Amino acid sequence: MMSTMDKYEQRRLRLIQIRDDFCGGKAVDVARKIEREPSYVSRMLYEDGKKGKKRIADDMVEVIEKAFSLPRGWMDGIADSGHGNVEFAGNQKETKGFPLISWVSAGQWLEAVEPYKLNEIDEWPETTMNAGAQSFWLTVKGDSMTSPVGFTVPEGMIILVDPSKEAKSGKLVVAKLTNDNEATFKMYIEDAGRKFLKPLNPQYPITEVNGNCSIIGTVVDVKWQRIP
């Protein structure tokens, strides 16, 4: 029978496999997928020596397996017992390319992301996310969405914007002024009937919106297009 320590080590190794095989070796992508802080994931991977190790408890096992469409028990080596290695369901998903259009500077109102002509666009980054047909990629500029802690979207990453996905409080969105042809990338917040566009970088101000702004779309994927 597997010891307690062996069980947690097994889970850690499985999480490393998920990170490497499903998220391109990026712990931040694992964090985004399971909706946890990157530092939390780093502790589970034993990468954050400052805060100490974090055991992967039973409830977190369920969260991880569900997020990556893995069979129940996979983290503990039960689901694939006697059947060799289990392939990630995510690897079997079809990828779909969407146009990389214009550029948006996080923290500033810039040029509109629409309209655009598809036949004039050369770059079509792919995603496995279930995004609407009118979705498009933008390249993040500036540092207003660069957070000093937790989830961050630094300059150079690309974001996939889905106009068909409803904006909800706490989600990342691309928005523009109703009477202006400019766009910005922020977190959308609703609080006590008021609406705000919040940067992840606390050095930038929060903007309240009230009839002067429309949501272009919700961000459904974030990634590096090229690794330096």
Side-chain angles (χ1 to χ4, degrees):
M1 184 174 180
M2 185 182 295
S3 69
T4 302
M5 288 303 296
D6 285 342
K7 178 178 73 172
Y8 291 118
E9 179 64 11
Q10 165 87 9
R11 292 174 178 179
R12 184 182 76 86
L13 294 176
R14 289 289 192 170
L15 187 60
I16 290 175
Q17 186 179 349
I18 289 174
R19 179 199 64 190
D20 294 344
D21 294 350
F22 192 62
C23 296
K26 302 172 186 174
V28 66
D29 286 350
V30 177
R32 179 173 56 82
K33 189 74 174 179
I34 67 174
E35 299 182 342
R36 296 297 189 277
E37 295 291 337
S39 59
Y40 186 94
V41 173
S42 293
R43 290 175 63 199
M44 289 194 294
L45 292 167
Y46 298 176
E47 293 177 342
D48 191 341
K50 295 180 180 180
K51 294 185 178 180
K53 299 177 180 179
K54 177 73 176 177
R55 286 183 171 182
I56 304 176
D58 293 346
D59 57 344
M60 181 51 60
V61 166
E62 185 174 354
V63 169
I64 294 170
E65 290 174 341
K66 184 176 181 181
F68 289 94
S69 301
L70 295 166
R72 191 70 182 94
W74 185 88
M75 291 285 289
D76 290 321
I78 299 173
D80 60 346
S81 179
H83 299 284
N85 292 330
V86 174
E87 292 185 0
F88 289 107
N91 287 348
Q92 299 173 358
K93 292 182 180 178
E94 293 185 2
T95 59
K96 185 175 182 181
F98 292 96
L100 179 63
I101 64 171
S102 185
W103 60 279
V104 63
S105 177
Q108 300 181 32
W109 299 100
L110 289 182
E111 65 185 58
V113 297
E114 57 184 16
Y116 54 88
K117 297 180 180 179
L118 296 180
N119 60 358
E120 296 179 356
I121 299 171
D122 296 326
E123 296 187 79
W124 291 68
E126 295 187 340
T127 183
T128 57
M129 300 299 292
N130 184 20
Q134 300 302 314
S135 299
F136 53 85
W137 293 96
L138 293 170
T139 302
V140 176
K141 302 289 184 180
D143 66 351
S144 78
M145 295 300 278
T146 301
S147 174
V149 294
F151 183 77
T152 184
V153 190
E155 183 174 21
M157 297 196 81
I158 58 174
I159 56 176
L160 181 60
V161 185
D162 188 348
S164 68
K165 190 173 181 62
E166 180 185 0
K168 296 181 179 180
S169 184
K171 296 296 184 180
L172 302 180
V173 302
V174 169
K176 68 177 180 179
L177 293 171
T178 302
N179 298 322
D180 251 354
N181 210 21
E182 298 181 343
T184 191
F185 170 42
K186 295 289 189 298
M187 176 179 285
Y188 177 68
I189 300 292
E190 292 183 2
D191 185 21
R194 301 168 67 186
K195 301 176 181 179
F196 303 89
L197 293 177
K198 177 184 178 181
L200 297 181
N201 188 335
Q203 296 183 7
Y204 287 78
I206 298 175
T207 302
E208 182 172 5
V209 293
N210 183 19
N212 62 338
C213 175
S214 60
I215 304 298
I216 296 172
T218 298
V219 176
V220 295
D221 198 3
V222 178
K223 68 178 184 178
W224 290 104
Q225 184 182 15
R226 299 181 183 89
I227 298 177

